[in-house]
Amino acid sequence: MNPPVLTPKRAAALTAVLGLLSIFPPLATDMYLAAMGTLADAMNASHASTELSLSLFFLGLCFGQLLIGPLIDGYGRKGPLLAGTALFAATSIALPLVNDIAIFNGLRFVQAIGASAGMVVGRTIVNDLYQGQRAAKVMTVLVMLLTIGPIVSPTLGSLLLATFGWQSIFVTMASVSLVALVLSQLIIPETLPADKRTNTPFRNGRKSAATLLTRWSFVIPAVMTGLIQGGMFAFITGSSGVFQGVFGLSALSYGLVFALIAAALILFGQLNSILLNRFTPKQILSRGLPIYVLATLGGLMMSGTSSIVLFVIPLWISVGMVGLLSANVMSIAMAETRDNAGMGSALLGAIQFAIAFTVSTCVALGGTDTPLAMSLGLLLPACAALLLSLAASRNDQRAPVDA
């Protein structure tokens, strides 16, 4: 039995629902950024304690993907997806009822496990149904839909905070997740036939992980994915302190500036779709990474300026390049998972969010007295990704990369 063949209309609906599921992480992070100070006051906690909830959420995404990956190889794609979405909805309902920061942060970790299901299953279903440049195009659409979260969430969060209080932000998360749960049940097909599932998912998952982690043609693009995405998480973590603290923006103005910068993800994603008609993902990656590094270097050079315009220009280009490069490097990594798509998607996500957790924590600890920590959080991972790309290119010229 092969995966289902979808009509164009059903394929478009499927992509839209997968995109909705993929916005859970940005929805759960970006929408309450402007409420950090209010949340800290409400729980008699420090600002650092509330920022820790972001880092713990990223850590939960890392752990959750490693948990979900084997499950979707053993029990199919749809069941674990529905369970994870329900978990996200349940924790979103519980969070506004909490008044202790330790319990709040613990629930955020659990919420992230639920959020990870849509990410893992989304990448895996794309890998089940598409290959090559077609897979990269669909992944680009998912990344573009994913950007709706960063664009809408801060402004929506600011409006909810001002009108109804911080609790309404999590009520909104719960509402969106319940809608996604219903749509997932109605629209998403099962793409893993019963005869291709494993009866011992975690044992087979360990074997698959061991295989993939010795396959350099998977490991290198997976780590590059994390490094490229790490820049986005540096921006998410540091932006509230930089724009509200250093540049003195109000919560609403900060939300609008955040949306303007995040809009670059959509524009550059559309550019990527055009480029994929002429170039392969590897070609776009090799030519785009140097531009990304130069843009982040420009951001570092502008980190001492008092002009918000001069600071935002290189930051806007940097965030846009994250959108352009991410879909290509993800599709390259997923193509190397072969018969281990579930575990491969889990490892890809776990590596991505392990790096995100590291970058986010470093930016948070670096302080927000200046934009320096956030700028370095963009530049250093970008440089590391470029170095890995150059090393992989030399390996390709000498011998097959696959171990």
Side-chain angles (χ1 to χ4, degrees):
M1 180 180 176
N2 294 319
V5 177
L6 305 177
T7 64
K9 185 179 290 187
R10 182 71 185 276
L14 171 63
T15 302
V17 175
L18 292 178
L20 176 62
L21 290 164
S22 72
I23 72 169
F24 283 8
L27 196 69
T29 53
D30 303 341
M31 194 157 65
Y32 87 124
L33 288 177
M36 285 283 197
T38 304
L39 187 63
D41 293 339
M43 298 194 181
N44 294 317
S46 66
H47 197 81
S49 297
T50 55
E51 282 188 344
L52 183 61
S53 69
L54 274 177
S55 298
L56 286 172
F57 189 87
F58 296 148
L59 187 62
L61 285 173
C62 177
F63 173 78
Q65 291 181 91
L66 291 175
L67 176 67
I68 300 286
L71 290 176
I72 64 175
D73 281 340
Y75 302 104
R77 314 307 193 200
K78 193 166 183 175
L81 171 65
L82 295 175
T85 306
L87 179 62
F88 182 88
T91 49
S92 298
I93 293 169
L95 278 162
L97 305 176
V98 171
N99 57 12
D100 180 86
I101 192 64
I103 298 173
F104 180 89
N105 286 348
L107 281 173
R108 288 282 290 167
F109 180 84
V110 177
Q111 185 190 37
I113 295 174
S116 67
M119 303 179 68
V120 176
V121 175
R123 288 190 297 262
T124 307
I125 287 178
V126 171
N127 192 69
D128 288 341
L129 298 175
Y130 308 107
Q131 292 82 40
Q133 284 167 278
R134 176 60 179 160
K137 284 188 175 183
V138 175
M139 201 74 76
T140 299
V141 173
L142 289 183
V143 171
M144 288 171 61
L145 290 172
L146 173 66
T147 63
I148 293 175
I151 290 172
V152 174
S153 294
T155 305
L156 177 60
S158 298
L159 291 172
L160 287 170
L161 175 65
T163 308
F164 302 108
W166 69 267
Q167 293 92 341
S168 64
I169 293 172
F170 294 95
V171 172
T172 303
M173 291 181 200
S175 302
V176 172
S177 58
L178 289 172
V179 171
L181 184 62
V182 173
L183 291 176
S184 298
Q185 174 62 34
L186 294 175
I187 293 173
I188 294 181
E190 178 54 67
T191 59
L192 183 67
D195 60 335
K196 292 187 177 180
R197 301 176 193 177
T198 174
N199 294 323
T200 54
F202 289 101
R203 182 184 301 171
N204 281 27
R206 287 194 297 271
K207 292 180 181 177
S208 297
T211 299
L212 289 168
L213 290 174
T214 57
R215 187 179 294 164
W216 289 109
S217 56
F218 168 78
V219 171
I220 290 176
V223 173
M224 287 173 62
T225 299
L227 291 169
I228 292 168
Q229 289 282 328
M232 187 65 189
F233 290 105
F235 167 60
I236 290 170
T237 302
S239 61
S240 175
V242 168
F243 286 112
Q244 292 184 275
V246 176
F247 290 106
L249 298 185
S250 66
L252 183 58
S253 296
Y254 160 66
L256 293 173
V257 169
F258 192 103
L260 172 67
I261 296 170
L265 291 163
I266 286 185
L267 295 176
F268 280 68
Q270 290 175 328
L271 174 62
N272 187 50
S273 294
I274 296 170
L275 292 174
L276 282 166
N277 292 323
R278 296 188 58 189
F279 304 102
T280 66
K282 284 188 177 181
Q283 289 172 327
I284 295 172
L285 188 66
S286 64
R287 297 172 189 180
L289 272 171
I291 298 173
Y292 180 41
V293 170
L294 288 174
T296 58
L297 180 60
L300 179 66
M301 294 172 66
M302 291 294 105
S303 62
T305 184
S306 59
S307 168
I308 191 171
V309 174
L310 291 177
F311 179 71
V312 163
I313 290 172
L315 182 60
W316 188 85
I317 297 171
S318 299
V319 170
M321 288 304 297
V322 170
L324 188 146
L325 297 171
S326 294
N328 293 294
V329 72
M330 282 183 193
S331 65
I332 292 168
M334 286 301 298
E336 295 297 328
T337 62
R338 300 167 194 172
D339 294 329
N340 305 306
M343 194 64 220
S345 179
L347 285 173
L348 177 61
I351 290 169
Q352 174 185 339
F353 282 98
I355 294 173
F357 172 74
T358 303
V359 172
S360 171
T361 302
C362 289
V363 171
L365 293 175
T368 55
D369 293 338
T370 73
L372 182 62
M374 186 178 77
S375 298
L376 287 173
L378 281 147
L379 174 62
L380 296 180
C383 291
L386 178 59
L387 290 174
L388 269 181
S389 178
L390 294 173
S393 297
R394 290 179 182 176
N395 253 2
D396 285 340
Q397 292 170 3
R398 293 176 185 175
V401 176
D402 211 359

